[in-house]
């Protein structure tokens, strides 16, 4: 495992880390703490030291599993969680300092921890980034020892750029992958200038970039890849990176020609993300230990060649960019 600095947090984190949206099992299945424990412990055994969760994952069960792991291990494991998505309706007006404070305190109780290494605003509406009082409450929480760092999880490049104006923002979590390349144009360089760490989520475009899906692939009714393709439940950019499924399949076929010796494109897609030095870590999910093993194998791959990077860029420019580039 290789480690990178997570911006001004000062943390040295595993470049391949773990997101826990589905750590309790497959989409739509009941949360399995047995599955979660197996994945989480294997992650730490493999050198992963940064785990991203949220209070809404598994309705709080993911946080409980992560907290149990941290308390049971002697290794230093950095915990990042998120707050805000519990607000109903999830609108700008619902974001209030006291509500966010209560969410942080609830996460601490869920995980049975005294301090959160990183708390992130969980994809709030864009208007929230123009309200200093929302960011100031986290300074109070830091003074009280309840958090060490504040970060933001964003949907749009604009939101990430605005977040950089707040000096207490230490990290930005964003969607970045072969099908979502806009962040490289400005956000990456600005984050580096502000010493803000970049945490990459959805690196496999909800599984599209594994190369294992086809027109015949089916998803359960409770899987967001079935019910959120057009943003019915939340931002459609979280599902297949906002790429139309058929378009994504066609682009993946082109990618397979660039990497003909790779039966599983997932490690290649993760290695592509890590080719960008501005990235602190990538947090692919895993619903079973074998998926974690696939993700970890990316750390062993050599750097992609200039020709391969150019080919990926060309496929994006021709097939994906006109459809998604300016949306996020």
């Amino acid at each position: 495992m290789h480690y990178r600095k997570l911006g001004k947090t000062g943390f040295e984190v595993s470049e391949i880390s773990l997101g826990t949206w589905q750590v309790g099992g497959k989409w739509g299945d009941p949360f399995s703490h047995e599955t979660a424990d197996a994945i989480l412990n294997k992650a730490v055994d493999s050198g992963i030291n940064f785990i991203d969760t949220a209070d809404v994952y598994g309705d709080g069960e993911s946080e409980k599993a992560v907290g149990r792991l941290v308390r049971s291990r002697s290794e230093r494991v950095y915990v990042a969680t998120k707050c805000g998505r519990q607000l109903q309706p999830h609108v700008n007006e619902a974001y209030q300092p006291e509500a966010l404070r209560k969410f942080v305190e609830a996460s601490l109780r869920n995980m049975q921890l005294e301090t959160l290494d990183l708390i992130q605003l969980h994809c709030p509406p864009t208007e929230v980034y123009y309200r200093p009082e929302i960011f100031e409450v986290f300074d109070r929480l830091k003074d009280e020892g309840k958090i060490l760092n504040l970060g933001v999880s964003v949907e749009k490049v604009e939101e990430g750029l605005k977040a950089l104006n707040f000096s207490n923002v230490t990290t930005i979590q964003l969607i970045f992958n072969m099908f979502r390349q806009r962040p490289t144009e400005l956000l990456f360089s600005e984050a580096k200038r502000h010493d803000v760490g970049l945490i990459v989520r959805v690196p496999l475009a909800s599984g599209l970039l594994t190369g294992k899906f086809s027109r015949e692939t089916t998803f359960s009714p409770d899987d967001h890849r079935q019910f959120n393709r057009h943003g019915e439940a939340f931002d459609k950019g979280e599902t297949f990176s906002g790429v139309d499924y058929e378009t994504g399949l066609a682009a993946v076929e082109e990618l397979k020609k660039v990497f003909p010796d790779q039966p599983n494109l997932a490690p290649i897609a993760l290695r592509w993300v890590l080719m960008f030095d501005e990235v602190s870590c990538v947090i692919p999910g895993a619903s079973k230990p074998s998926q974690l093993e696939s993700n970890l194998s990316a750390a062993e791959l050599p750097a992609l060649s200039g020709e391969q990077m150019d080919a990926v860029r060309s496929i994006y420019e021709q097939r994906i960019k006109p459809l998604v580039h300016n949306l996020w």
Side-chain angles (χ1 to χ4, degrees):
M1 182 62 71
H2 305 284
Y3 298 83
R4 300 186 182 191
K5 182 168 168 283
L6 184 61
K8 52 190 172 186
T9 69
F11 300 159
E12 292 288 332
V13 299
S14 46
E15 62 181 16
I16 298 173
S17 291
L18 180 66
T20 62
W21 194 2
Q22 66 207 81
V23 77
K26 289 166 54 179
W27 298 115
D29 287 353
F31 192 96
S32 165
H33 278 277
E34 182 179 2
T35 298
D37 287 348
I39 294 171
L40 289 165
N41 279 286
K42 183 175 181 61
V44 177
D45 290 343
S46 303
I48 288 175
N49 72 344
F50 180 83
I51 298 175
D52 177 82
T53 185
D55 53 6
V56 292
Y57 293 172
D59 201 19
E61 297 305 305
S62 175
E63 282 191 335
K64 292 176 184 176
V66 171
R68 185 169 61 247
L69 168 90
V70 172
R71 298 193 312 273
S72 70
R73 302 290 301 223
S74 60
E75 299 91 340
R76 177 63 164 108
V77 179
Y78 298 104
V79 174
T81 191
K82 310 184 199 76
C83 64
R85 292 299 303 196
Q86 291 189 67
L87 294 168
Q88 295 295 334
H90 186 243
V91 295
N92 173 46
E93 294 76 13
Y95 274 77
Q96 299 297 329
E98 192 54 36
L100 296 170
R101 169 182 286 277
K102 289 179 179 177
F103 290 148
V104 169
E105 292 170 346
S107 289
L108 287 169
R109 288 193 298 272
N110 250 353
M111 292 192 274
Q112 298 182 40
L113 299 175
E114 293 184 1
T115 306
L116 299 175
D117 295 312
L118 176 65
I119 184 69
Q120 303 158 98
L121 290 174
H122 199 170
C123 298
T126 303
E127 301 95 316
V128 171
Y129 294 92
Y130 293 81
R131 296 174 56 196
E133 75 274 15
I134 296 300
F135 291 81
E136 288 167 0
V137 69
F138 294 97
D139 286 333
R140 308 290 81 76
L141 290 164
K142 184 175 181 179
D143 291 342
E144 295 165 20
K146 293 176 180 176
I147 69 169
L148 292 182
N149 296 282
L150 170 66
V152 296
S153 184
V154 304
E155 297 289 5
K156 301 176 181 179
V157 166
E158 171 198 348
E159 295 163 351
L161 292 170
K162 181 60 182 175
L164 292 173
N165 292 336
F166 297 99
S167 61
N168 60 347
V169 169
T170 64
T171 64
I172 295 173
Q173 184 179 136
L174 72 161
I175 296 175
F176 177 61
N177 58 50
M178 291 175 168
F179 289 170
R180 182 75 77 83
Q181 298 191 28
R182 187 182 180 189
T184 62
E185 291 182 351
L186 179 60
L187 183 56
F188 274 27
S189 60
E190 285 298 291
K192 184 176 182 179
R193 188 168 70 86
H194 286 81
D195 194 22
V196 167
L198 294 178
I199 301 166
V200 170
R201 74 178 186 278
V202 198
L204 303 179
S206 307
L208 256 181
L209 287 169
T210 65
K212 296 182 177 181
F213 294 171
S214 70
R215 288 175 177 80
E216 288 69 46
T217 301
T218 58
F219 304 97
S220 77
D222 293 330
D223 189 323
H224 74 99
R225 294 172 293 189
Q226 180 65 34
F227 68 74
N228 192 58
R229 292 193 183 188
H230 304 288
E232 293 90 335
F234 43 82
D235 193 296
K236 76 172 186 176
E238 299 283 350
T239 301
F240 302 131
S241 295
V243 176
D244 169 74
Y245 187 66
E246 295 286 331
T247 300
L249 290 178
V252 166
E253 290 305 308
E254 294 294 318
L255 288 170
K256 288 179 179 178
K257 297 174 185 177
V258 180
F259 305 99
D261 300 326
Q262 298 294 332
N264 177 10
L265 281 180
I268 290 290
L270 294 175
R271 189 68 185 88
W272 180 88
V273 171
L274 294 173
M275 290 295 293
F276 297 84
D277 293 338
E278 297 91 344
V279 170
S280 297
C281 65
V282 58
I283 52 169
S287 61
K288 53 187 176 182
S290 61
Q291 291 176 342
L292 178 64
E293 292 173 4
S294 168
N295 296 338
L296 288 165
S297 69
E300 303 166 10
L301 292 177
L304 303 189
S305 69
E307 291 78 8
Q308 289 170 326
M309 294 294 289
D310 288 344
V312 172
R313 181 71 183 181
S314 177
I315 292 168
Y316 172 77
E317 296 272 356
Q318 294 175 25
R319 291 189 174 270
I320 306 295
K321 184 176 181 177
L323 304 176
V324 306
H325 193 78
N326 292 322
L327 297 180
W328 294 280

